[in-house]
Amino acid sequence: MTVVSERAVPAHAKVNLWLHVTGRLTSGYHSLDSLHVRTSLADRLWFTPAESTALEVTGRFSAALKDLDGSRNLVTRAVAAVAPTKAFRIVLEKNIPVASGLGGGSADAAATLRAVSGLTDDLPAIAATLGADVPSCLHDGTVMTAGTGDVVTPMEPLPECALVLVNPGTALSTARVFAGFDEPLSVPRPLIRPPESFDDLIRELAKRRNDLEPAACRVDPGISDVLAALRATPGIALARMTGTGATCFGLADTLQQADSAASLLRRHHPEWWIETTTILTQPREGP
């Protein structure tokens, strides 16, 4: 596969519209039931063939990765996993907050796998070796995930809608949140059929939740403040934490409503990271 540096490869942020913890495994991990969507918010990557692989991180959230050894970054690990005989100069524009529950690192890894490998059938298995969210991030559309995240079922697109993403400025440890999880286990609640309208989507989501919200709020009480603010903002139909936090989302019917809600939130909470985005409703074909 020819890699061209002139064209940016997008790595779209993911949002868990719900996340149920369905079991505790002897491995120390948990089994989950979740619905992932991808959003228009994305990191961007450029790949140029080189003598040896090197990674340069730019963008708003680059500082969070400045002390990370390049060999430990998911992007360079993904290159080593699928193209061990190739080398690239990689530029990563970091627009997704780090350790925020938006799957930025997993999206970067999945985008890299697709860009440099030229493979299709083997990518899900390789992706699973890099992280729990990487297999689902191979798909740009809506997916149901089960197991530890390695069982991925593509879904029909959801109704078009917008989100307000809010992070109180916290990078939250996934391990710490799971360590504090003491809620009763949930049963899987997959969608029987995709919602036909925004109102149908809200009704379905209201029957479900993010089981990790209470644990995350104990670790970082600022998440409770974000959720309360979102739920009190006009135009937000439902607010919830994504992943293990600390980012929360508010669902709005239109991007105009989301932008209005974001403006109100910024006025009262200028210290928070607040971004509006839309759900991707046109998935690319295949991983």
Side-chain angles (χ1 to χ4, degrees), residues 85-124:
T85 63
K86 299 179 182 179
F88 303 93
R89 177 182 180 269
I90 306 165
V91 177
L92 166 60
E93 181 184 271
K94 199 68 189 155
N95 303 311
I96 303 170
V98 175
S100 63
L102 293 170
S106 296
D108 297 340
T112 300
L113 291 176
R114 295 193 317 210
V116 307
S117 70
L119 304 174
T120 52
D121 294 343
D122 295 336
L123 283 191

Side-chain angles (χ1 to χ4, degrees), residues 99-101 166-172 216 220 222-223 226 241-242 244-248:
S100 63
V166 184
N167 187 292
T170 306
L172 208 55
D220 180 6
I223 297 172
V226 168
M241 187 181 80
T242 178
T244 57
T247 303
C248 301

Side-chain angles (χ1 to χ4, degrees), residues 5 27 55 63 78 168 181 185 250:
S5 58
S27 62
L55 174 66
F181 172 72
L185 295 175

Side-chain angles (χ1 to χ4, degrees), residues 15-92:
V15 167
N16 303 82
L17 294 185
W18 74 73
L19 196 160
H20 298 149
V21 182
T22 58
R24 295 180 175 87
L25 307 178
T26 55
S27 62
Y29 288 92
H30 294 73
S31 56
L32 308 172
D33 159 53
S34 185
L35 183 72
H36 284 200
V37 294
R38 306 298 293 284
T39 77
S40 54
L41 173 67
D43 291 341
R44 298 197 300 167
L45 300 107
W46 290 262
F47 301 88
T48 308
E51 292 296 320
S52 60
T53 293
L55 174 66
E56 176 188 353
V57 185
T58 67
R60 180 175 179 180
F61 296 103
S62 59
L65 299 177
K66 65 181 177 64
D67 294 327
L68 183 65
D69 183 338
S71 64
R72 292 169 49 213
N73 187 284
L74 280 174
V75 169
T76 52
R77 289 176 56 198
V79 171
V82 293
T85 63
K86 299 179 182 179
F88 303 93
R89 177 182 180 269
I90 306 165
V91 177
L92 166 60

